[in-house]
Coordinates of all heavy atoms in Angstrom, one line a residue:
I1 N 0.8 -1.2 0.0 CA 0.0 0.0 0.0 C 0.9 1.3 0.0 O 0.5 2.3 -0.6 CB -1.0 0.0 1.2 CG1 -2.0 -1.1 1.1 CG2 -1.7 1.3 1.4 CD1 -2.9 -1.3 2.2
F2 N 2.0 1.2 0.7 CA 2.9 2.4 0.8 C 4.3 2.1 0.2 O 5.2 2.1 1.0 CB 3.0 2.8 2.3 CG 1.7 3.1 2.9 CD1 1.2 2.2 3.9 CD2 0.9 4.1 2.6 CE1 0.0 2.4 4.5 CE2 -0.4 4.4 3.2 CZ -0.8 3.5 4.2
P3 N 4.4 2.0 -1.1 CA 5.7 1.7 -1.7 C 6.7 2.7 -1.4 O 7.9 2.5 -1.5 CB 5.4 1.5 -3.2 CG 4.1 2.2 -3.4 CD 3.3 2.1 -2.1
V4 N 6.3 4.0 -1.1 CA 7.3 5.0 -0.8 C 8.1 4.7 0.4 O 9.2 5.2 0.6 CB 6.5 6.4 -0.6 CG1 5.7 6.4 0.7 CG2 7.5 7.5 -0.7
M5 N 7.6 3.8 1.3 CA 8.4 3.3 2.5 C 9.7 2.8 2.1 O 10.7 2.8 2.9 CB 7.6 2.3 3.2 CG 6.5 2.8 4.1 SD 7.0 3.8 5.5 CE 7.8 2.5 6.4
D6 N 9.9 2.2 0.9 CA 11.1 1.7 0.4 C 12.3 2.7 0.5 O 13.4 2.3 0.7 CB 11.1 1.1 -1.0 CG 10.5 -0.2 -1.1 OD1 10.3 -0.9 0.0 OD2 10.2 -0.7 -2.2
L7 N 11.9 4.0 0.4 CA 13.0 5.0 0.5 C 13.5 5.1 1.9 O 14.7 5.5 2.0 CB 12.4 6.4 0.0 CG 11.8 6.5 -1.4 CD1 11.1 7.8 -1.6 CD2 12.9 6.3 -2.4
F8 N 12.7 4.8 2.9 CA 13.1 5.0 4.3 C 13.5 3.6 4.9 O 14.5 3.5 5.6 CB 12.0 5.7 5.1 CG 11.6 6.9 4.4 CD1 10.4 7.0 3.7 CD2 12.4 8.1 4.5 CE1 10.0 8.2 3.1 CE2 12.0 9.3 3.9 CZ 10.8 9.3 3.2
M9 N 12.6 2.6 4.7 CA 12.8 1.3 5.3 C 12.1 0.3 4.4 O 10.9 0.2 4.5 CB 12.3 1.2 6.7 CG 12.5 -0.1 7.3 SD 11.7 -0.4 8.9 CE 11.7 1.1 9.7
P10 N 12.9 -0.4 3.6 CA 12.2 -1.5 2.7 C 11.7 -2.6 3.6 O 12.4 -3.3 4.2 CB 13.4 -2.0 1.9 CG 14.5 -1.0 2.0 CD 14.3 -0.3 3.3
L11 N 10.3 -2.6 3.7 CA 9.7 -3.5 4.6 C 9.9 -5.0 4.3 O 9.7 -5.9 5.1 CB 8.2 -3.2 4.8 CG 7.9 -1.9 5.4 CD1 6.4 -1.6 5.4 CD2 8.4 -1.8 6.8
G12 N 10.3 -5.3 3.0 CA 10.5 -6.6 2.6 C 11.9 -7.1 2.8 O 12.3 -8.2 2.5
D13 N 12.8 -6.3 3.4 CA 14.2 -6.6 3.6 C 14.5 -6.8 5.1 O 14.5 -5.9 5.9 CB 15.0 -5.4 3.1 CG 16.5 -5.6 3.2 OD1 17.0 -6.5 3.9 OD2 17.2 -4.9 2.4
L14 N 14.6 -8.1 5.4 CA 14.8 -8.5 6.8 C 16.0 -7.8 7.5 O 15.8 -7.3 8.6 CB 15.1 -10.0 6.9 CG 15.5 -10.6 8.3 CD1 14.4 -10.3 9.3 CD2 15.9 -12.0 8.2
V15 N 17.1 -7.6 6.8 CA 18.3 -7.0 7.4 C 18.0 -5.5 7.7 O 18.3 -5.0 8.8 CB 19.5 -7.1 6.4 CG1 20.7 -6.3 7.0 CG2 19.9 -8.6 6.3
R16 N 17.3 -4.8 6.8 CA 17.0 -3.4 7.0 C 16.0 -3.3 8.1 O 16.1 -2.4 9.0 CB 16.5 -2.8 5.7 CG 17.5 -2.7 4.6 CD 18.5 -1.6 4.8 NE 18.0 -0.3 4.8 CZ 17.7 0.5 3.8 NH1 17.9 0.1 2.6 NH2 17.2 1.7 4.0
V17 N 15.0 -4.1 8.2 CA 13.9 -4.0 9.2 C 14.5 -4.3 10.6 O 14.3 -3.6 11.5 CB 12.7 -4.9 8.9 CG1 11.7 -4.9 10.0 CG2 12.0 -4.5 7.6
E18 N 15.3 -5.4 10.6 CA 16.0 -5.7 11.9 C 16.9 -4.6 12.3 O 17.0 -4.3 13.5 CB 16.8 -7.0 11.8 CG 15.9 -8.3 11.8 CD 16.7 -9.5 11.9 OE1 17.9 -9.5 11.4 OE2 16.2 -10.6 12.3
G19 N 17.6 -4.0 11.4 CA 18.5 -2.8 11.7 C 17.7 -1.6 12.2 O 18.3 -0.8 13.0
A20 N 16.5 -1.5 11.9 CA 15.7 -0.4 12.3 C 14.6 -0.8 13.3 O 13.6 -0.1 13.5 CB 15.0 0.3 11.1
I21 N 14.8 -1.9 13.9 CA 13.7 -2.5 14.8 C 13.4 -1.5 15.9 O 12.2 -1.4 16.3 CB 14.0 -3.9 15.3 CG1 12.8 -4.6 15.9 CG2 15.1 -3.8 16.4 CD1 11.7 -4.9 14.9
D22 N 14.3 -0.8 16.4 CA 14.0 0.2 17.5 C 13.0 1.2 17.0 O 12.1 1.6 17.8 CB 15.3 0.9 18.0 CG 16.3 -0.1 18.7 OD1 15.8 -1.1 19.3 OD2 17.5 0.2 18.7
Q23 N 13.2 1.7 15.8 CA 12.3 2.7 15.2 C 10.9 2.1 15.1 O 9.9 2.7 15.4 CB 12.7 3.2 13.9 CG 13.9 4.1 13.9 CD 14.4 4.4 12.5 OE1 14.9 3.5 11.8 NE2 14.1 5.6 12.1
V24 N 10.8 0.8 14.6 CA 9.5 0.2 14.4 C 8.8 0.0 15.7 O 7.6 0.3 15.8 CB 9.7 -1.2 13.7 CG1 8.4 -2.0 13.7 CG2 10.3 -1.1 12.3
M25 N 9.6 -0.4 16.7 CA 9.0 -0.6 18.0 C 8.4 0.7 18.6 O 7.3 0.7 19.2 CB 10.0 -1.2 19.0 CG 10.5 -2.6 18.6 SD 9.3 -3.8 18.5 CE 9.1 -4.1 20.3
V26 N 9.1 1.8 18.4 CA 8.6 3.1 18.9 C 7.4 3.5 18.1 O 6.4 4.0 18.7 CB 9.7 4.2 18.8 CG1 9.2 5.5 19.0 CG2 10.9 3.9 19.7
M27 N 7.4 3.3 16.8 CA 6.3 3.8 16.0 C 4.9 3.0 16.2 O 3.9 3.5 15.9 CB 6.6 3.7 14.5 CG 7.6 4.7 14.0 SD 7.2 6.4 14.3 CE 8.5 6.9 15.4
I28 N 5.0 1.9 16.8 CA 3.8 1.1 17.1 C 3.3 1.3 18.6 O 2.2 0.8 18.9 CB 3.9 -0.4 16.8 CG1 4.9 -1.1 17.6 CG2 4.2 -0.5 15.3 CD1 5.0 -2.6 17.4
T29 N 4.0 2.0 19.4 CA 3.6 2.3 20.8 C 2.5 3.3 20.8 O 2.4 4.2 20.0 CB 4.7 2.7 21.7 OG1 5.2 4.0 21.2 CG2 5.8 1.7 21.7
E30 N 1.5 3.1 21.7 CA 0.4 4.0 21.9 C 0.9 5.4 22.2 O 0.2 6.4 21.9 CB -0.6 3.5 22.9 CG -1.3 2.3 22.4 CD -2.3 1.8 23.4 OE1 -2.9 2.6 24.2 OE2 -2.6 0.6 23.4
D31 N 2.0 5.6 22.9 CA 2.5 6.9 23.3 C 2.8 7.7 22.0 O 2.8 9.0 22.1 CB 3.8 6.8 24.1 CG 3.6 6.1 25.4 OD1 2.4 6.0 25.9 OD2 4.5 5.6 26.0
M32 N 3.1 7.1 20.9 CA 3.4 7.8 19.7 C 2.2 8.4 19.0 O 2.3 9.2 18.1 CB 4.2 7.0 18.7 CG 5.6 6.6 19.2 SD 6.6 8.1 19.4 CE 6.8 8.7 17.7
E33 N 1.0 8.0 19.4 CA -0.2 8.4 18.7 C -0.3 10.0 18.7 O -0.6 10.5 17.6 CB -1.4 7.9 19.4 CG -2.7 8.3 18.7 CD -3.9 7.6 19.3 OE1 -3.8 6.9 20.4 OE2 -5.0 7.7 18.7
V34 N 0.0 10.6 19.7 CA 0.0 12.1 19.8 C 1.3 12.8 19.5 O 1.4 13.9 19.2 CB -0.6 12.6 21.1 CG1 -2.0 12.2 21.3 CG2 0.3 12.2 22.3
A35 N 2.4 12.0 19.5 CA 3.7 12.5 19.4 C 4.2 12.6 17.9 O 5.1 13.4 17.6 CB 4.7 11.8 20.2
S36 N 3.7 11.8 17.0 CA 4.2 11.7 15.7 C 3.2 11.3 14.6 O 2.3 10.5 14.9 CB 5.4 10.7 15.7 OG 5.9 10.5 14.4
T37 N 3.4 11.9 13.5 CA 2.5 11.5 12.3 C 3.0 10.1 11.8 O 2.3 9.6 10.9 CB 2.6 12.5 11.2 OG1 3.9 12.7 10.8 CG2 2.0 13.8 11.7
L38 N 4.1 9.6 12.2 CA 4.6 8.3 11.8 C 4.0 7.1 12.6 O 4.2 6.0 12.3 CB 6.1 8.3 11.9 CG 6.9 9.3 11.0 CD1 8.4 9.2 11.3 CD2 6.6 9.1 9.6
Y39 N 3.2 7.5 13.6 CA 2.5 6.5 14.4 C 1.8 5.5 13.6 O 1.1 5.9 12.6 CB 1.6 7.1 15.4 CG 0.7 6.2 16.2 CD1 1.2 5.3 17.1 CD2 -0.7 6.2 16.0 CE1 0.4 4.5 17.9 CE2 -1.5 5.4 16.7 CZ -1.0 4.6 17.7 OH -1.8 3.7 18.4
M40 N 1.9 4.2 13.9 CA 1.1 3.2 13.2 C -0.1 2.7 14.1 O 0.1 1.9 15.0 CB 2.0 2.0 12.9 CG 3.1 2.3 11.9 SD 4.3 0.9 11.6 CE 3.2 -0.3 10.8
P41 N -1.3 3.3 13.9 CA -2.4 3.0 14.8 C -3.0 1.6 14.6 O -2.8 1.0 13.6 CB -3.4 4.1 14.3 CG -3.1 4.3 12.9 CD -1.6 4.2 12.7
V42 N -3.7 1.2 15.6 CA -4.4 0.0 15.5 C -5.6 0.2 14.5 O -6.4 1.1 14.7 CB -5.0 -0.4 16.9 CG1 -6.0 -1.6 16.7 CG2 -3.9 -0.8 17.8
T43 N -5.6 -0.5 13.5 CA -6.6 -0.4 12.4 C -7.0 -1.8 12.0 O -6.5 -2.8 12.6 CB -6.0 0.3 11.2 OG1 -5.0 -0.5 10.6 CG2 -5.5 1.7 11.5
R44 N -7.8 -1.9 11.0 CA -8.1 -3.2 10.4 C -6.8 -3.9 10.0 O -6.7 -5.1 10.1 CB -9.1 -3.1 9.3 CG -9.5 -4.4 8.7 CD -10.4 -4.2 7.5 NE -9.6 -3.5 6.5 CZ -10.0 -3.1 5.4 NH1 -11.3 -3.3 5.0 NH2 -9.3 -2.4 4.5

């Protein structure tokens, strides 16, 4: 859905995702909902 993500973190690349796991973990926390537009909300 968001192929532009490849510019920042290719989601299909295990090495890149593992290398950025700290960022991924932060972006899915509920605390980020109000702190960043990068927040990944609970959705369908």
Side-chain angles (χ1 to χ4, degrees):
I1 294 176
F2 305 110
V4 72
M5 284 290 295
D6 278 351
L7 299 174
F8 308 101
M9 182 189 326
L11 294 175
D13 185 336
L14 172 62
V15 173
R16 295 282 301 273
V17 174
E18 284 184 339
I21 197 63
D22 292 334
Q23 287 176 290
V24 173
M25 299 296 288
V26 168
M27 290 302 120
I28 64 173
T29 62
E30 290 183 28
D31 295 340
M32 289 301 291
E33 182 173 9
V34 295
S36 174
T37 58
L38 298 175
Y39 170 68
M40 294 174 68
V42 171
T43 63
R44 180 184 63 182

